[in-house]
Amino acid sequence: MTVSAERVTKDAGSVRNGAAGAAPCPHRLVLEHVTSRWGVLVLTELLERSYRFGELRRAIGRVGRISEKMLTQTLQTLERDGLAHRDAKPVIPPRVDYSLTELGREAAEQVRALTLWTQDRLADVEQARLAYDEARARTARAS
Protein backbone atom coordinates (compact mmCIF):
# COMPACT_ATOMS: atom_id res chain seq x y z
CA MET A 1 0.00 0.00 0.00
CA THR A 2 1.40 3.38 -0.94
CA VAL A 3 0.85 6.60 0.93
CA SER A 4 0.34 9.78 -1.04
CA ALA A 5 2.90 12.55 -0.74
CA GLU A 6 0.05 14.89 0.17
CA ARG A 7 -0.94 12.69 3.14
CA VAL A 8 2.65 12.35 4.36
CA THR A 9 3.13 16.12 4.11
CA LYS A 10 -0.13 16.72 5.98
CA ASP A 11 0.82 14.28 8.75
CA ALA A 12 4.31 15.73 9.04
CA GLY A 13 2.86 19.22 9.25
CA SER A 14 0.46 18.23 11.99
CA VAL A 15 3.30 17.52 14.41
CA ARG A 16 4.18 20.83 15.96
CA ASN A 17 7.53 21.56 17.59
CA GLY A 18 9.34 19.10 15.32
CA ALA A 19 12.47 19.94 13.36
CA ALA A 20 11.66 21.43 9.97
CA GLY A 21 11.75 18.74 7.31
CA ALA A 22 12.26 15.97 9.87
CA ALA A 23 9.98 12.94 9.85
CA PRO A 24 7.39 13.10 12.63
CA CYS A 25 7.79 10.86 15.66
CA PRO A 26 5.33 8.01 15.02
CA HIS A 27 4.33 7.74 18.69
CA ARG A 28 3.61 11.41 18.94
CA LEU A 29 1.60 11.39 15.73
CA VAL A 30 -0.68 8.60 16.97
CA LEU A 31 -1.02 10.32 20.34
CA GLU A 32 -1.97 13.53 18.56
CA HIS A 33 -4.66 11.72 16.56
CA VAL A 34 -6.12 9.99 19.62
CA THR A 35 -6.05 13.05 21.88
CA SER A 36 -7.07 15.70 19.37
CA ARG A 37 -10.21 17.65 20.20
CA TRP A 38 -12.35 15.66 17.79
CA GLY A 39 -10.45 12.38 18.13
CA VAL A 40 -11.35 12.17 21.81
CA LEU A 41 -15.02 12.84 21.14
CA VAL A 42 -15.25 10.40 18.23
CA LEU A 43 -13.50 7.65 20.16
CA THR A 44 -15.64 8.06 23.26
CA GLU A 45 -18.88 8.16 21.25
CA LEU A 46 -17.96 5.08 19.22
CA LEU A 47 -17.11 3.27 22.45
CA GLU A 48 -20.84 3.11 23.17
CA ARG A 49 -21.98 1.74 19.78
CA SER A 50 -21.57 2.06 16.03
CA TYR A 51 -22.96 5.18 14.35
CA ARG A 52 -23.95 6.40 10.94
CA PHE A 53 -22.15 9.59 9.94
CA GLY A 54 -25.07 11.94 10.66
CA GLU A 55 -25.84 10.26 13.97
CA LEU A 56 -22.23 10.59 15.05
CA ARG A 57 -22.14 14.26 14.06
CA ARG A 58 -25.29 14.95 16.09
CA ALA A 59 -23.96 12.99 19.09
CA ILE A 60 -20.71 14.96 19.05
CA GLY A 61 -22.73 18.15 18.52
CA ARG A 62 -23.96 17.88 22.10
CA VAL A 63 -20.42 18.81 23.18
CA GLY A 64 -19.14 20.96 20.33
CA ARG A 65 -19.98 21.86 16.76
CA ILE A 66 -18.02 19.79 14.29
CA SER A 67 -18.14 20.42 10.55
CA GLU A 68 -18.75 17.58 8.13
CA LYS A 69 -15.26 18.12 6.75
CA MET A 70 -13.61 17.89 10.18
CA LEU A 71 -15.58 14.78 11.14
CA THR A 72 -14.69 13.17 7.81
CA GLN A 73 -10.99 13.97 8.30
CA THR A 74 -11.05 12.69 11.88
CA LEU A 75 -12.75 9.44 10.90
CA GLN A 76 -10.33 8.93 8.00
CA THR A 77 -7.35 9.51 10.29
CA LEU A 78 -8.68 7.09 12.91
CA GLU A 79 -9.45 4.54 10.19
CA ARG A 80 -5.95 4.91 8.73
CA ASP A 81 -4.45 4.38 12.20
CA GLY A 82 -6.50 1.17 12.55
CA LEU A 83 -8.72 2.57 15.31
CA ALA A 84 -12.00 2.99 13.43
CA HIS A 85 -13.81 0.80 10.92
CA ARG A 86 -15.92 2.14 8.06
CA ASP A 87 -18.62 -0.26 6.86
CA ALA A 88 -20.16 0.92 3.58
CA LYS A 89 -23.24 -1.12 2.75
CA PRO A 90 -24.17 -1.48 -0.95
CA VAL A 91 -27.74 -0.25 -0.61
CA ILE A 92 -29.71 2.70 -1.92
CA PRO A 93 -29.56 5.18 -0.33
CA PRO A 94 -25.96 4.50 0.70
CA ARG A 95 -25.45 3.49 4.32
CA VAL A 96 -22.11 3.84 6.05
CA ASP A 97 -21.58 2.80 9.66
CA TYR A 98 -18.55 3.62 11.79
CA SER A 99 -17.35 1.54 14.71
CA LEU A 100 -14.19 0.91 16.67
CA THR A 101 -11.72 -1.82 15.92
CA GLU A 102 -10.30 -3.80 18.82
CA LEU A 103 -7.29 -1.46 18.78
CA GLY A 104 -9.64 1.53 18.73
CA ARG A 105 -11.61 0.15 21.67
CA GLU A 106 -8.37 -0.08 23.68
CA ALA A 107 -7.47 3.51 22.82
CA ALA A 108 -11.00 4.73 23.56
CA GLU A 109 -10.96 3.08 27.00
CA GLN A 110 -7.71 4.90 27.80
CA VAL A 111 -9.11 8.22 26.57
CA ARG A 112 -12.29 7.69 28.58
CA ALA A 113 -10.26 7.02 31.72
CA LEU A 114 -8.39 10.30 31.21
CA THR A 115 -11.67 12.12 30.55
CA LEU A 116 -13.19 10.76 33.76
CA TRP A 117 -10.06 11.67 35.73
CA THR A 118 -10.29 15.21 34.34
CA GLN A 119 -13.92 15.48 35.40
CA ASP A 120 -13.15 14.12 38.87
CA ARG A 121 -10.14 16.38 39.45
CA LEU A 122 -11.31 19.60 37.78
CA ALA A 123 -11.82 21.38 41.11
CA ASP A 124 -8.21 20.58 42.10
CA VAL A 125 -6.91 21.87 38.77
CA GLU A 126 -8.93 25.07 39.12
CA GLN A 127 -7.61 25.57 42.66
CA ALA A 128 -4.03 25.09 41.44
CA ARG A 129 -4.60 27.61 38.64
CA LEU A 130 -5.97 30.16 41.07
CA ALA A 131 -3.00 29.71 43.43
CA TYR A 132 -0.59 30.04 40.50
CA ASP A 133 -2.29 33.19 39.17
CA GLU A 134 -2.31 34.78 42.63
CA ALA A 135 1.39 34.02 43.14
CA ARG A 136 2.22 35.49 39.71
CA ALA A 137 0.19 38.59 40.48
CA ARG A 138 2.04 39.07 43.80
CA THR A 139 5.39 38.66 42.03
CA ALA A 140 4.37 41.19 39.35
CA ARG A 141 3.30 43.75 41.97
CA ALA A 142 6.57 43.29 43.87
CA SER A 143 8.63 43.99 40.72
Side-chain angles (χ1 to χ4, degrees), residues 41-116:
L41 295 175
V42 168
L43 287 170
T44 55
E45 281 299 327
L46 289 177
L47 192 54
E48 302 305 318
R49 65 180 180 90
S50 64
Y51 281 89
R52 292 180 73 178
F53 185 88
E55 290 178 312
L56 183 57
R57 187 167 180 222
R58 283 188 297 279
I60 291 171
R62 293 189 308 257
V63 180
R65 285 186 60 130
I66 184 170
S67 68
E68 285 187 27
K69 179 182 177 183
M70 197 69 240
L71 180 55
T72 298
Q73 287 176 349
T74 301
L75 286 166
Q76 287 174 342
T77 298
L78 294 174
E79 184 180 7
R80 182 170 181 250
D81 287 347
L83 305 177
H85 175 70
R86 181 181 187 271
D87 183 21
K89 297 188 180 5
V91 295
I92 297 174
R95 179 184 173 106
V96 179
D97 292 313
Y98 293 91
S99 59
L100 293 176
T101 63
E102 198 55 43
L103 189 61
R105 186 162 293 288
E106 274 183 53
E109 291 286 353
Q110 298 300 316
V111 168
R112 182 167 59 181
L114 183 58
T115 301
L116 293 173

